[in-house]
Amino acid sequence: MTIDGEPENRALQVLFMATSPLDVKPVLDFEGEEARILEATKRQPLALMVEESGCLSELGYLVDGYDRDYFDVLHLTGHATLQDGQPRFITETETGEANYASAGDIAQ
């Protein structure tokens, strides 16, 4: 949006992060997922940024380097589960182990 509230005519700015921690099966084909996104949007202007680590803290560092409303879409792909009856998205630690993230963890 511009300051006066008019939509900008620009590429959709997408941030993509795939997680595939060690010892979590099946191993994801996140390169394939990225290719499918690019194929599905090939007729639309798209600025795709990829966070490679699968780690929420690294994602946070990347997002902090941009204005608050820079990204239009955050696309996460990975495994999810219930832990203690609560939904968790399985991200990665800095060393690749599984980190069971809550919705609040992701939002932060």
Side-chain angles (χ1 to χ4, degrees), residues 22-89:
L22 301 170
D23 299 324
V24 174
K25 304 290 184 215
V27 174
L28 295 179
D29 177 20
F30 44 87
E31 289 91 357
E33 176 91 8
E34 182 180 346
R36 285 187 294 280
I37 291 169
L38 292 172
E39 177 64 25
T41 60
K42 68 182 175 184
R43 292 191 162 156
Q44 303 299 319
L46 179 72
L48 179 65
M49 173 146 326
V50 178
E51 199 299 308
E52 301 279 345
S53 74
C55 175
L56 287 180
S57 60
E58 294 298 321
L59 177 67
Y61 297 140
L62 189 152
V63 169
D64 285 346
Y66 293 86
D67 291 336
R68 177 175 167 82
D69 295 323
Y70 179 82
F71 293 105
D72 300 306
V73 176
L74 169 60
H75 179 94
L76 301 174
T77 189
H79 296 288
T81 190
L82 290 176
Q83 187 179 59
D84 299 324
Q86 298 298 312
R88 297 289 185 251
F89 184 71

